[in-house]
Amino acid sequence: MNKLKQRGLTFLVLLTTAGMMTGCGGSSTPDLEKALAKTAEYEQKTVTSPASDSLGGEWTVIALARSGEKAEDNYFEKYRANLEKKLKEQDGILSENKYTEYSRAVLALCAIGEDPSEIGGYDIQKPLEDYETVVSQGLNGAVFALLALNAQDPQANKDGEVQKKYLDYILEQEKSDGGFSLDDNATEGDVDLTAMTLQCLEPYQEEENVKDTIDRGVEFLADAQDADGGYTAYGDKSSESVSQTIIALSTYGIDCNEDERFQKDGKGLYDTLMTYYQKDGSFSHTEDGDSDPMATDQAFCAMVAYERCQNKENSFYNMTDHR
C-alpha cells in the first residue's frame, strides 16, 4: 500500500483564491474571509446531497453550519433526510463497533440545531454511553465521543458520569513527550491525534491537571513543526496535520498565524495551510497534489475554527450558539 493510500485509511479511522492578506514575514496569503467563502461554495457544489459518512457528509455539514456562510436551500434538511433513511434501513444501527460513526452524526445534528436523541425515532447519542465499545476503538473513539456528548452544552454536560470516564481514559493516554497517539504501544505522540485530543479537553481546561495536559500538548505541536512550518506525520507532509493543529489552537484562543511558537520560515500556520489551497476553493493533501476531499473537509473545518477564534465566537465544537 502506498503512503497516500495508507494516510487516507488512517484518517478514515480517525474519523475524519480571491483577495490577499499579508501573512507573517510579509508573505502573501489568500484572505481568510474570501477563501472561506470560496471553499464553502466548492463544498456545496461537490457534496450536493450530504450523507452520513466520513467523506461527502458530516464534516462538510459541520463546517458549513459552524461558518457564517450561506447554505443552499434545504442543504441541511437533505443531510437529516439521508441520515434518517440510513437509520431506518439499518434498524437504527450506524455501526456495530465503530462508534465514531455515531459521534460524527451527533456533532452534525448539534451543528444544525437538531436533537440527536430524536432522529427518525432513534436516540443516536445513546450508543456513546457504551464506554467499553467506544474505547475498544482506541483513543480517537473516546475523543470524538467526548466531543459529541458535550457539544450541545459543554458546561451542563461535561461532568456526566460517562464523560468523566472518557476524560480519565484520555488523560491516561498522554505520552512522555506531551503528545498522544493512535497507537497505544507508541512511546511518542503524533501530531494529528494530539491536536484532536486537545480539541475535546476544552470544557475541562479550568481543572489544573487538564490545563497542564493542554499546555504540554500545545508545546508538543509547536516542537513537532518542520523548519518550513508544516508537519510530517504518518510518513508524509500534508495539509491535514496543519488543519487539525489550527482547530486545536483556535479552541483555546491561540492565533495560529501570530503566535511566535508556530511561526516558522517567515510563516504562520494559516499561511502554511494556504500553500495547499487550490483556485477552485478546494485543498490538496500534499503541496503539489490535486484536490482531495478529505483534505478539503479538514481545511474547511480549520478555516471556520480560525475565523471563529478571530471573531471571539464559541469554539468550533462548542455548539451552544448553533446558527
Short mmCIF file of all heavy atoms in Angstrom, two decimals, residues 199-267:
data_model
loop_
_atom_site.label_atom_id
_atom_site.label_comp_id
_atom_site.label_asym_id
_atom_site.label_seq_id
_atom_site.Cartn_x
_atom_site.Cartn_y
_atom_site.Cartn_z
N GLN A 199 -8.65 19.19 21.28
CA GLN A 199 -9.94 19.77 20.92
C GLN A 199 -11.05 19.34 21.88
O GLN A 199 -11.99 20.09 22.15
CB GLN A 199 -10.31 19.38 19.49
CG GLN A 199 -9.40 20.00 18.44
CD GLN A 199 -9.45 19.28 17.11
OE1 GLN A 199 -10.46 18.65 16.77
NE2 GLN A 199 -8.38 19.34 16.34
N CYS A 200 -10.95 18.13 22.44
CA CYS A 200 -12.03 17.63 23.30
C CYS A 200 -11.86 18.02 24.76
O CYS A 200 -12.77 17.79 25.57
CB CYS A 200 -12.17 16.11 23.17
SG CYS A 200 -10.99 15.14 24.15
N LEU A 201 -10.73 18.61 25.11
CA LEU A 201 -10.46 18.93 26.52
C LEU A 201 -10.94 20.32 26.93
O LEU A 201 -10.87 20.68 28.11
CB LEU A 201 -8.96 18.80 26.80
CG LEU A 201 -8.34 17.41 26.61
CD1 LEU A 201 -6.85 17.45 26.90
CD2 LEU A 201 -9.04 16.38 27.50
N GLU A 202 -11.43 21.09 25.98
CA GLU A 202 -11.79 22.48 26.26
C GLU A 202 -12.70 22.67 27.47
O GLU A 202 -12.44 23.54 28.31
CB GLU A 202 -12.45 23.11 25.03
CG GLU A 202 -12.83 24.57 25.25
CD GLU A 202 -13.68 25.15 24.13
OE1 GLU A 202 -14.16 24.37 23.29
OE2 GLU A 202 -13.85 26.38 24.10
N PRO A 203 -13.78 21.87 27.64
CA PRO A 203 -14.67 22.13 28.78
C PRO A 203 -14.00 21.93 30.14
O PRO A 203 -14.53 22.39 31.16
CB PRO A 203 -15.80 21.11 28.57
CG PRO A 203 -15.75 20.76 27.13
CD PRO A 203 -14.29 20.81 26.78
N TYR A 204 -12.85 21.27 30.15
CA TYR A 204 -12.19 20.91 31.41
C TYR A 204 -10.92 21.73 31.65
O TYR A 204 -10.16 21.43 32.57
CB TYR A 204 -11.84 19.41 31.38
CG TYR A 204 -13.00 18.54 31.03
CD1 TYR A 204 -13.23 18.13 29.71
CD2 TYR A 204 -13.93 18.16 32.00
CE1 TYR A 204 -14.31 17.33 29.38
CE2 TYR A 204 -15.02 17.37 31.68
CZ TYR A 204 -15.21 16.97 30.36
OH TYR A 204 -16.30 16.20 30.05
N GLN A 205 -10.72 22.78 30.88
CA GLN A 205 -9.45 23.49 30.93
C GLN A 205 -9.21 24.23 32.24
O GLN A 205 -8.08 24.61 32.54
CB GLN A 205 -9.34 24.46 29.77
CG GLN A 205 -10.40 25.55 29.74
CD GLN A 205 -10.29 26.41 28.50
OE1 GLN A 205 -9.24 26.95 28.19
NE2 GLN A 205 -11.39 26.55 27.79
N GLU A 206 -10.26 24.44 33.03
CA GLU A 206 -10.08 25.09 34.33
C GLU A 206 -9.55 24.13 35.38
O GLU A 206 -9.10 24.56 36.45
CB GLU A 206 -11.40 25.71 34.80
CG GLU A 206 -11.96 26.78 33.87
CD GLU A 206 -10.98 27.92 33.62
OE1 GLU A 206 -10.28 28.32 34.58
OE2 GLU A 206 -10.91 28.41 32.48
N GLU A 207 -9.60 22.83 35.11
CA GLU A 207 -9.06 21.84 36.04
C GLU A 207 -7.54 21.82 35.86
O GLU A 207 -7.04 21.66 34.75
CB GLU A 207 -9.66 20.46 35.76
CG GLU A 207 -11.18 20.43 35.94
CD GLU A 207 -11.78 19.07 35.64
OE1 GLU A 207 -11.03 18.07 35.71
OE2 GLU A 207 -12.99 19.01 35.34
N GLU A 208 -6.82 21.96 36.95
CA GLU A 208 -5.37 22.17 36.87
C GLU A 208 -4.66 21.07 36.10
O GLU A 208 -3.78 21.33 35.27
CB GLU A 208 -4.77 22.31 38.26
CG GLU A 208 -3.29 22.66 38.24
CD GLU A 208 -2.75 22.95 39.62
OE1 GLU A 208 -3.54 22.99 40.59
OE2 GLU A 208 -1.52 23.14 39.73
N ASN A 209 -5.01 19.80 36.36
CA ASN A 209 -4.32 18.71 35.68
C ASN A 209 -4.61 18.71 34.18
O ASN A 209 -3.73 18.38 33.37
CB ASN A 209 -4.69 17.36 36.29
CG ASN A 209 -6.16 17.02 36.13
OD1 ASN A 209 -7.03 17.90 36.23
ND2 ASN A 209 -6.45 15.75 35.90
N VAL A 210 -5.82 19.10 33.82
CA VAL A 210 -6.17 19.16 32.40
C VAL A 210 -5.47 20.34 31.74
O VAL A 210 -4.96 20.21 30.61
CB VAL A 210 -7.70 19.25 32.20
CG1 VAL A 210 -8.04 19.32 30.71
CG2 VAL A 210 -8.39 18.06 32.84
N LYS A 211 -5.44 21.46 32.42
CA LYS A 211 -4.73 22.63 31.87
C LYS A 211 -3.27 22.29 31.60
O LYS A 211 -2.71 22.68 30.56
CB LYS A 211 -4.83 23.81 32.83
CG LYS A 211 -4.13 25.08 32.31
CD LYS A 211 -4.20 26.20 33.32
CE LYS A 211 -3.56 27.47 32.75
NZ LYS A 211 -2.13 27.25 32.35
N ASP A 212 -2.65 21.57 32.52
CA ASP A 212 -1.25 21.18 32.32
C ASP A 212 -1.11 20.27 31.10
O ASP A 212 -0.15 20.39 30.33
CB ASP A 212 -0.72 20.47 33.56
CG ASP A 212 -0.56 21.42 34.75
OD1 ASP A 212 -0.54 22.66 34.53
OD2 ASP A 212 -0.47 20.93 35.89
N THR A 213 -2.06 19.37 30.93
CA THR A 213 -2.05 18.48 29.76
C THR A 213 -2.18 19.28 28.47
O THR A 213 -1.48 19.03 27.49
CB THR A 213 -3.19 17.45 29.86
OG1 THR A 213 -3.01 16.65 31.03
CG2 THR A 213 -3.22 16.55 28.63
N ILE A 214 -3.08 20.26 28.48
CA ILE A 214 -3.28 21.11 27.30
C ILE A 214 -2.00 21.89 26.99
O ILE A 214 -1.56 21.95 25.83
CB ILE A 214 -4.46 22.07 27.52
CG1 ILE A 214 -5.78 21.30 27.61
CG2 ILE A 214 -4.53 23.11 26.40
CD1 ILE A 214 -6.94 22.11 28.14
N ASP A 215 -1.41 22.47 28.00
CA ASP A 215 -0.18 23.24 27.79
C ASP A 215 0.94 22.38 27.21
O ASP A 215 1.65 22.80 26.29
CB ASP A 215 0.29 23.85 29.12
CG ASP A 215 -0.61 24.97 29.61
OD1 ASP A 215 -1.40 25.50 28.80
OD2 ASP A 215 -0.52 25.33 30.80
N ARG A 216 1.08 21.16 27.73
CA ARG A 216 2.10 20.26 27.20
C ARG A 216 1.79 19.87 25.76
O ARG A 216 2.69 19.76 24.92
CB ARG A 216 2.22 19.01 28.08
CG ARG A 216 2.88 19.28 29.43
CD ARG A 216 3.21 17.98 30.14
NE ARG A 216 2.02 17.22 30.51
CZ ARG A 216 1.40 17.31 31.67
NH1 ARG A 216 1.82 18.15 32.60
NH2 ARG A 216 0.34 16.54 31.92
N GLY A 217 0.51 19.67 25.47
CA GLY A 217 0.11 19.31 24.12
C GLY A 217 0.39 20.41 23.12
O GLY A 217 0.86 20.15 22.00
N VAL A 218 0.13 21.65 23.51
CA VAL A 218 0.41 22.79 22.63
C VAL A 218 1.91 22.88 22.36
O VAL A 218 2.34 23.11 21.21
CB VAL A 218 -0.13 24.10 23.24
CG1 VAL A 218 0.36 25.32 22.45
CG2 VAL A 218 -1.66 24.08 23.25
N GLU A 219 2.72 22.71 23.39
CA GLU A 219 4.17 22.75 23.21
C GLU A 219 4.65 21.61 22.32
O GLU A 219 5.55 21.78 21.49
CB GLU A 219 4.88 22.70 24.56
CG GLU A 219 4.70 23.95 25.41
CD GLU A 219 5.14 25.22 24.68
OE1 GLU A 219 6.18 25.19 23.99
OE2 GLU A 219 4.43 26.25 24.81
N PHE A 220 4.02 20.45 22.46
CA PHE A 220 4.36 19.32 21.58
C PHE A 220 4.11 19.69 20.13
O PHE A 220 4.93 19.42 19.25
CB PHE A 220 3.53 18.09 21.96
CG PHE A 220 3.64 16.95 20.99
CD1 PHE A 220 4.65 16.01 21.12
CD2 PHE A 220 2.77 16.84 19.90
CE1 PHE A 220 4.78 14.97 20.21
CE2 PHE A 220 2.89 15.82 18.99
CZ PHE A 220 3.89 14.87 19.14
N LEU A 221 2.96 20.32 19.85
CA LEU A 221 2.62 20.68 18.48
C LEU A 221 3.58 21.73 17.92
O LEU A 221 3.92 21.69 16.74
CB LEU A 221 1.18 21.20 18.42
CG LEU A 221 0.08 20.17 18.71
CD1 LEU A 221 -1.29 20.84 18.77
CD2 LEU A 221 0.08 19.06 17.66
N ALA A 222 4.02 22.64 18.78
CA ALA A 222 4.99 23.64 18.33
C ALA A 222 6.34 22.99 18.02
O ALA A 222 6.98 23.27 17.00
CB ALA A 222 5.16 24.72 19.39
N ASP A 223 6.78 22.09 18.90
CA ASP A 223 8.07 21.43 18.72
C ASP A 223 8.07 20.47 17.53
O ASP A 223 9.12 20.23 16.93
CB ASP A 223 8.45 20.65 19.98
CG ASP A 223 8.73 21.56 21.17
OD1 ASP A 223 8.97 22.77 20.95
OD2 ASP A 223 8.69 21.07 22.31
N ALA A 224 6.89 19.94 17.20
CA ALA A 224 6.80 18.95 16.12
C ALA A 224 6.82 19.56 14.72
O ALA A 224 6.96 18.84 13.73
CB ALA A 224 5.53 18.11 16.28
N GLN A 225 6.68 20.88 14.63
CA GLN A 225 6.68 21.53 13.32
C GLN A 225 8.01 21.35 12.60
O GLN A 225 9.08 21.36 13.21
CB GLN A 225 6.43 23.04 13.48
CG GLN A 225 4.99 23.46 13.34
CD GLN A 225 4.87 24.96 13.34
OE1 GLN A 225 5.16 25.61 14.35
NE2 GLN A 225 4.47 25.53 12.23
N ASP A 226 7.92 21.19 11.29
CA ASP A 226 9.12 21.17 10.45
C ASP A 226 9.65 22.59 10.31
O ASP A 226 8.96 23.57 10.61
CB ASP A 226 8.79 20.60 9.07
CG ASP A 226 8.37 19.14 9.13
OD1 ASP A 226 8.82 18.44 10.07
OD2 ASP A 226 7.60 18.71 8.25
N ALA A 227 10.86 22.70 9.82
CA ALA A 227 11.50 24.01 9.68
C ALA A 227 10.74 24.93 8.74
O ALA A 227 10.81 26.15 8.87
CB ALA A 227 12.94 23.83 9.20
N ASP A 228 10.00 24.36 7.78
CA ASP A 228 9.25 25.18 6.83
C ASP A 228 7.85 25.53 7.34
O ASP A 228 7.06 26.17 6.63
CB ASP A 228 9.16 24.50 5.47
CG ASP A 228 8.37 23.20 5.50
OD1 ASP A 228 7.88 22.81 6.59
OD2 ASP A 228 8.24 22.56 4.44
N GLY A 229 7.51 25.11 8.55
CA GLY A 229 6.22 25.45 9.14
C GLY A 229 5.16 24.40 8.97
O GLY A 229 4.08 24.51 9.55
N GLY A 230 5.44 23.35 8.19
CA GLY A 230 4.47 22.29 8.01
C GLY A 230 4.65 21.17 9.01
O GLY A 230 5.38 21.30 9.99
N TYR A 231 3.96 20.06 8.77
CA TYR A 231 4.06 18.89 9.64
C TYR A 231 4.24 17.64 8.81
O TYR A 231 3.63 17.48 7.75
CB TYR A 231 2.78 18.73 10.48
CG TYR A 231 2.67 19.69 11.62
CD1 TYR A 231 1.80 20.78 11.55
CD2 TYR A 231 3.41 19.52 12.79
CE1 TYR A 231 1.67 21.66 12.61
CE2 TYR A 231 3.30 20.42 13.85
CZ TYR A 231 2.43 21.48 13.75
OH TYR A 231 2.33 22.36 14.79
N THR A 232 5.05 16.75 9.30
CA THR A 232 5.20 15.43 8.70
C THR A 232 4.62 14.42 9.67
O THR A 232 5.05 14.34 10.83
CB THR A 232 6.68 15.10 8.43
OG1 THR A 232 7.21 16.07 7.53
CG2 THR A 232 6.82 13.72 7.81
N ALA A 233 3.63 13.67 9.22
CA ALA A 233 3.00 12.65 10.05
C ALA A 233 2.66 11.45 9.19
O ALA A 233 2.33 11.59 8.01
CB ALA A 233 1.75 13.20 10.71
N TYR A 234 2.74 10.28 9.78
CA TYR A 234 2.46 9.04 9.06
C TYR A 234 3.31 8.93 7.79
O TYR A 234 2.89 8.36 6.79
CB TYR A 234 0.96 8.92 8.71
CG TYR A 234 0.06 9.21 9.89
CD1 TYR A 234 -0.75 10.34 9.89
CD2 TYR A 234 0.05 8.37 10.99
CE1 TYR A 234 -1.57 10.61 10.98
CE2 TYR A 234 -0.77 8.64 12.08
CZ TYR A 234 -1.58 9.76 12.07
OH TYR A 234 -2.38 10.03 13.14
N GLY A 235 4.48 9.54 7.82
CA GLY A 235 5.43 9.34 6.73
C GLY A 235 5.41 10.37 5.63
O GLY A 235 6.26 10.34 4.75
N ASP A 236 4.45 11.32 5.65
CA ASP A 236 4.47 12.33 4.61
C ASP A 236 3.93 13.67 5.14
O ASP A 236 3.22 13.72 6.14
CB ASP A 236 3.65 11.89 3.38
CG ASP A 236 2.18 11.71 3.66
OD1 ASP A 236 1.83 10.89 4.53
OD2 ASP A 236 1.36 12.37 3.02
N LYS A 237 4.32 14.73 4.46
CA LYS A 237 3.91 16.08 4.83
C LYS A 237 2.53 16.35 4.20
O LYS A 237 2.34 16.11 3.01
CB LYS A 237 4.94 17.09 4.32
CG LYS A 237 4.75 18.50 4.88
CD LYS A 237 5.75 19.45 4.25
CE LYS A 237 7.17 19.13 4.64
NZ LYS A 237 7.42 19.46 6.07
N SER A 238 1.61 16.85 5.00
CA SER A 238 0.25 17.01 4.48
C SER A 238 -0.46 18.21 5.08
O SER A 238 -0.05 18.75 6.11
CB SER A 238 -0.58 15.75 4.78
OG SER A 238 -0.95 15.73 6.14
N SER A 239 -1.55 18.58 4.43
CA SER A 239 -2.36 19.69 4.93
C SER A 239 -3.20 19.29 6.14
O SER A 239 -3.53 20.12 6.98
CB SER A 239 -3.29 20.20 3.82
OG SER A 239 -4.21 19.19 3.43
N GLU A 240 -3.56 17.99 6.24
CA GLU A 240 -4.47 17.57 7.30
C GLU A 240 -3.88 17.81 8.69
O GLU A 240 -4.59 18.21 9.62
CB GLU A 240 -4.85 16.09 7.14
CG GLU A 240 -5.77 15.82 5.97
CD GLU A 240 -5.02 15.42 4.70
OE1 GLU A 240 -3.86 15.86 4.53
OE2 GLU A 240 -5.58 14.68 3.90
N SER A 241 -2.59 17.56 8.85
CA SER A 241 -1.96 17.80 10.16
C SER A 241 -2.00 19.28 10.51
O SER A 241 -2.21 19.66 11.67
CB SER A 241 -0.51 17.31 10.14
OG SER A 241 -0.46 15.92 9.94
N VAL A 242 -1.79 20.13 9.52
CA VAL A 242 -1.87 21.58 9.74
C VAL A 242 -3.30 21.96 10.14
O VAL A 242 -3.51 22.73 11.08
CB VAL A 242 -1.43 22.35 8.48
CG1 VAL A 242 -1.55 23.85 8.70
CG2 VAL A 242 0.00 21.98 8.10
N SER A 243 -4.27 21.41 9.43
CA SER A 243 -5.67 21.73 9.72
C SER A 243 -6.05 21.37 11.14
O SER A 243 -6.66 22.17 11.86
CB SER A 243 -6.59 20.99 8.74
OG SER A 243 -6.43 21.47 7.43
N GLN A 244 -5.70 20.16 11.57
CA GLN A 244 -6.08 19.72 12.91
C GLN A 244 -5.40 20.58 13.98
O GLN A 244 -5.99 20.88 15.02
CB GLN A 244 -5.73 18.24 13.10
CG GLN A 244 -6.61 17.30 12.31
CD GLN A 244 -8.09 17.44 12.65
OE1 GLN A 244 -8.46 17.73 13.80
NE2 GLN A 244 -8.95 17.26 11.66
N THR A 245 -4.17 20.99 13.72
CA THR A 245 -3.47 21.85 14.68
C THR A 245 -4.13 23.22 14.78
O THR A 245 -4.28 23.78 15.87
CB THR A 245 -1.99 21.99 14.30
OG1 THR A 245 -1.39 20.69 14.28
CG2 THR A 245 -1.24 22.86 15.29
N ILE A 246 -4.55 23.76 13.64
CA ILE A 246 -5.25 25.05 13.65
C ILE A 246 -6.54 24.96 14.46
O ILE A 246 -6.87 25.86 15.25
CB ILE A 246 -5.54 25.53 12.21
CG1 ILE A 246 -4.23 25.95 11.53
CG2 ILE A 246 -6.54 26.68 12.21
CD1 ILE A 246 -4.38 26.30 10.07
N ILE A 247 -7.29 23.88 14.31
CA ILE A 247 -8.53 23.70 15.08
C ILE A 247 -8.21 23.65 16.56
O ILE A 247 -8.88 24.30 17.39
CB ILE A 247 -9.28 22.43 14.64
CG1 ILE A 247 -9.69 22.51 13.17
CG2 ILE A 247 -10.52 22.23 15.52
CD1 ILE A 247 -10.23 21.19 12.62
N ALA A 248 -7.16 22.91 16.93
CA ALA A 248 -6.79 22.78 18.33
C ALA A 248 -6.39 24.13 18.93
O ALA A 248 -6.86 24.52 20.02
CB ALA A 248 -5.65 21.78 18.49
N LEU A 249 -5.55 24.87 18.24
CA LEU A 249 -5.10 26.16 18.75
C LEU A 249 -6.26 27.14 18.85
O LEU A 249 -6.39 27.89 19.83
CB LEU A 249 -4.00 26.73 17.85
CG LEU A 249 -2.70 25.92 17.76
CD1 LEU A 249 -1.72 26.60 16.83
CD2 LEU A 249 -2.08 25.71 19.14
N SER A 250 -7.11 27.15 17.83
CA SER A 250 -8.26 28.06 17.83
C SER A 250 -9.21 27.77 18.99
O SER A 250 -9.88 28.67 19.50
CB SER A 250 -9.00 27.96 16.49
OG SER A 250 -8.17 28.35 15.42
N THR A 251 -9.28 26.51 19.40
CA THR A 251 -10.13 26.12 20.53
C THR A 251 -9.77 26.90 21.78
O THR A 251 -10.65 27.25 22.59
CB THR A 251 -9.97 24.61 20.80
OG1 THR A 251 -10.42 23.87 19.65
CG2 THR A 251 -10.78 24.18 22.02
N TYR A 252 -8.49 27.22 21.93
CA TYR A 252 -8.01 27.90 23.14
C TYR A 252 -7.63 29.36 22.89
O TYR A 252 -6.92 29.97 23.69
CB TYR A 252 -6.83 27.12 23.73
CG TYR A 252 -7.25 25.73 24.11
CD1 TYR A 252 -6.97 24.64 23.28
CD2 TYR A 252 -8.01 25.51 25.25
CE1 TYR A 252 -7.41 23.37 23.61
CE2 TYR A 252 -8.45 24.25 25.59
CZ TYR A 252 -8.15 23.17 24.77
OH TYR A 252 -8.60 21.91 25.08
N GLY A 253 -8.13 29.91 21.79
CA GLY A 253 -7.91 31.32 21.52
C GLY A 253 -6.48 31.66 21.13
O GLY A 253 -6.06 32.81 21.23
N ILE A 254 -5.73 30.66 20.66
CA ILE A 254 -4.35 30.88 20.22
C ILE A 254 -4.36 31.17 18.73
O ILE A 254 -4.81 30.34 17.94
CB ILE A 254 -3.48 29.65 20.52
CG1 ILE A 254 -3.45 29.36 22.02
CG2 ILE A 254 -2.06 29.86 19.99
CD1 ILE A 254 -2.78 28.03 22.38
N ASP A 255 -3.87 32.34 18.35
CA ASP A 255 -3.86 32.72 16.94
C ASP A 255 -2.75 31.95 16.23
O ASP A 255 -1.56 32.20 16.43
CB ASP A 255 -3.63 34.23 16.79
CG ASP A 255 -3.86 34.73 15.37
OD1 ASP A 255 -3.36 34.07 14.43
OD2 ASP A 255 -4.51 35.76 15.20
N CYS A 256 -3.15 31.04 15.38
CA CYS A 256 -2.20 30.13 14.74
C CYS A 256 -1.24 30.84 13.79
O CYS A 256 -0.20 30.28 13.44
CB CYS A 256 -2.95 29.04 13.98
SG CYS A 256 -3.88 29.65 12.54
N ASN A 257 -1.59 32.04 13.38
CA ASN A 257 -0.74 32.75 12.43
C ASN A 257 0.13 33.80 13.10
O ASN A 257 1.08 34.31 12.49
CB ASN A 257 -1.60 33.43 11.35
CG ASN A 257 -0.98 33.31 9.97
OD1 ASN A 257 -0.51 32.24 9.59
ND2 ASN A 257 -0.98 34.39 9.21
N GLU A 258 -0.19 34.14 14.35
CA GLU A 258 0.53 35.20 15.04
C GLU A 258 1.35 34.71 16.22
O GLU A 258 2.32 35.36 16.62
CB GLU A 258 -0.47 36.27 15.52
CG GLU A 258 -1.24 36.95 14.40
CD GLU A 258 -0.34 37.73 13.45
OE1 GLU A 258 0.74 38.19 13.89
OE2 GLU A 258 -0.71 37.86 12.27
N ASP A 259 0.98 33.58 16.81
CA ASP A 259 1.72 33.06 17.94
C ASP A 259 3.13 32.67 17.50
O ASP A 259 3.31 31.89 16.57
CB ASP A 259 1.00 31.84 18.53
CG ASP A 259 1.57 31.41 19.86
OD1 ASP A 259 2.70 30.89 19.88
OD2 ASP A 259 0.89 31.59 20.90
N GLU A 260 4.12 33.22 18.17
CA GLU A 260 5.51 33.03 17.75
C GLU A 260 5.94 31.57 17.77
O GLU A 260 6.81 31.17 16.99
CB GLU A 260 6.44 33.85 18.65
CG GLU A 260 6.30 35.36 18.46
CD GLU A 260 7.28 36.14 19.32
OE1 GLU A 260 8.02 35.51 20.12
OE2 GLU A 260 7.31 37.37 19.19
N ARG A 261 5.34 30.76 18.62
CA ARG A 261 5.72 29.34 18.69
C ARG A 261 5.42 28.61 17.39
O ARG A 261 6.03 27.58 17.09
CB ARG A 261 4.99 28.66 19.85
CG ARG A 261 5.43 29.12 21.23
CD ARG A 261 4.52 28.57 22.29
NE ARG A 261 3.16 29.10 22.19
CZ ARG A 261 2.16 28.78 23.01
NH1 ARG A 261 2.38 27.92 24.00
NH2 ARG A 261 0.96 29.32 22.87
N PHE A 262 4.47 29.13 16.62
CA PHE A 262 4.03 28.45 15.40
C PHE A 262 4.43 29.22 14.14
O PHE A 262 3.90 28.94 13.05
CB PHE A 262 2.53 28.20 15.46
CG PHE A 262 2.16 27.24 16.55
CD1 PHE A 262 1.85 27.69 17.82
CD2 PHE A 262 2.18 25.88 16.32
CE1 PHE A 262 1.55 26.81 18.84
CE2 PHE A 262 1.88 24.98 17.33
CZ PHE A 262 1.56 25.44 18.60
N GLN A 263 5.34 30.16 14.29
CA GLN A 263 5.86 30.87 13.12
C GLN A 263 7.21 30.26 12.73
O GLN A 263 8.15 30.28 13.52
CB GLN A 263 6.03 32.36 13.44
CG GLN A 263 4.71 33.08 13.63
CD GLN A 263 4.90 34.56 13.98
OE1 GLN A 263 6.01 35.04 14.10
NE2 GLN A 263 3.79 35.27 14.15
N LYS A 264 7.24 29.71 11.55
CA LYS A 264 8.46 29.09 11.05
C LYS A 264 8.69 29.56 9.62
O LYS A 264 7.74 29.70 8.83
CB LYS A 264 8.34 27.55 11.06
CG LYS A 264 7.98 26.93 12.40
CD LYS A 264 9.11 26.99 13.39
CE LYS A 264 8.88 26.09 14.59
NZ LYS A 264 7.65 26.34 15.34
N ASP A 265 9.93 29.79 9.27
CA ASP A 265 10.29 30.16 7.90
C ASP A 265 9.48 31.37 7.42
O ASP A 265 9.07 31.46 6.27
CB ASP A 265 10.07 28.97 6.97
CG ASP A 265 10.72 29.16 5.60
OD1 ASP A 265 11.76 29.84 5.52
OD2 ASP A 265 10.18 28.63 4.61
N GLY A 266 9.23 32.31 8.35
CA GLY A 266 8.51 33.53 7.98
C GLY A 266 7.02 33.36 7.79
O GLY A 266 6.35 34.26 7.27
N LYS A 267 6.47 32.21 8.20
CA LYS A 267 5.04 31.95 8.00
C LYS A 267 4.40 31.50 9.31
O LYS A 267 5.02 30.84 10.14
CB LYS A 267 4.82 30.85 6.96
CG LYS A 267 5.38 31.12 5.58
CD LYS A 267 4.89 30.10 4.58
CE LYS A 267 5.26 28.66 4.92
NZ LYS A 267 6.70 28.40 4.77
#
